[in-house]
């Protein structure tokens, strides 16, 4: 299954899988504007990793509890810490890591590997109805395939732990929000 996609192959119609930033960067690339080469780890890759890591059902339940805890900072903090722990425990499936390594290799050469930024992004982060830009994790100056895989894996727990507070007031979600990651 495809869990990683080159930014040049992403369009606005892919926003659910690639996130708003990924979809918009894909459109800018298609318009031949100067966008650095990049790829996106799709939402389905994250969801598959959580399912295969055995935490998907617990994440959904914990996210629902976190949404119910909005208004109680102590309870919300506890729930967010639990979300971070669950996501961190899920790990990275080998086939997804392989796809990330392959996409990363295409950004550089064997003699000169690319130096990239790895950024987490909510699927609804940059849209007509929401903007949570800058709320998630970005790793800069990442070099090497293993380092990129680790940076993607490291982004996931931080995103999940920040999800409930911005989502709850808008009523946009009652289920755990998935998080694509982009590398450029």
């Amino acid at each position: 299954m495809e869990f990683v996609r080159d930014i040049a192959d992403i369009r606005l119609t892919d926003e659910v899988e690639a996130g708003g930033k990924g979809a918009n960067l894909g459109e800018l690339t298609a318009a031949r504007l100067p966008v650095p080469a990049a790829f996106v780890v799709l939402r389905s890759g994250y969801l598959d990793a959580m399912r295969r890591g055995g935490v998907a059902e617990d994440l959904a339940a914990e996210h629902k509890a976190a949404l119910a805890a909005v208004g109680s900072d102590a309870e919300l903090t506890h729930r967010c810490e639990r979300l971070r722990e669950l996501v961190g425990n899920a790990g990275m499936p080998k086939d997804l890591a392989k796809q990330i390594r392959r996409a990363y290799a295409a950004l550089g050469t064997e003699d000169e590997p690319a130096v990239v930024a790895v950024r987490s992004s909510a699927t609804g982060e940059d849209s007509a109805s929401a903007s949570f830009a800058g709320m998630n994790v970005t790793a800069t100056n990442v070099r090497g395939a293993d380092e990129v895989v680790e940076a993607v894996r490291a982004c996931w727990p931080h995103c999940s732990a920040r999800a409930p507070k911005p989502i709850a007031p808008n009523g946009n979600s009652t289920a755990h929000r998935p998080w694509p990651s982009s590398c450029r």
Side-chain angles (χ1 to χ4, degrees):
M1 181 172 238
E2 176 198 40
F3 293 132
V4 176
R5 193 176 304 161
D6 188 288
I7 204 82
D9 298 326
I10 297 173
R11 296 293 175 271
L12 287 177
T13 55
D14 299 313
E15 182 180 4
V16 170
E17 272 295 302
K21 185 168 296 303
N24 285 310
L25 288 172
E27 289 292 334
L28 292 172
T29 300
R32 304 189 134 198
L33 293 169
V35 177
F39 64 88
V40 173
V41 177
L42 302 172
R43 176 186 74 143
S44 56
Y46 169 85
L47 291 173
D48 184 69
M50 297 306 106
R51 182 186 58 75
R52 288 167 57 187
V55 301
E57 289 182 19
D58 290 340
L59 281 171
E62 200 62 45
H63 190 262
K64 185 176 180 179
L67 288 170
V70 170
S72 170
D73 286 346
E75 180 66 13
L76 185 59
T77 297
H78 168 72
R79 297 295 179 178
C80 289
E81 288 171 0
R82 179 72 178 131
L83 283 165
R84 184 180 295 129
E85 178 185 323
L86 287 167
V87 173
N89 289 341
M92 172 78 67
K94 289 181 183 178
D95 57 330
L96 175 55
K98 184 178 179 179
Q99 289 181 41
I100 293 169
R101 286 184 181 95
R102 188 176 359 190
Y104 170 74
L107 298 178
T109 66
E110 195 171 313
D111 292 335
E112 186 132 357
V115 177
V116 300
V118 178
R119 185 181 188 283
S120 57
S121 177
T123 54
E125 180 178 281
D126 296 321
S127 68
S129 62
S131 178
F132 302 112
M135 292 187 66
N136 298 317
V137 173
T138 300
T140 59
N141 300 313
V142 181
R143 184 181 195 146
D146 291 339
E147 289 76 8
V148 170
V149 168
E150 176 54 26
V152 169
R153 193 209 55 75
C155 281
W156 289 346
H158 296 284
C159 296
S160 297
R162 292 190 175 123
K165 210 158 193 172
I167 292 170
N170 296 329
N172 291 343
S173 177
T174 57
H176 179 64
R177 287 284 266 225
W179 305 92
S181 300
S182 59
C183 298
R184 53 190 158 106

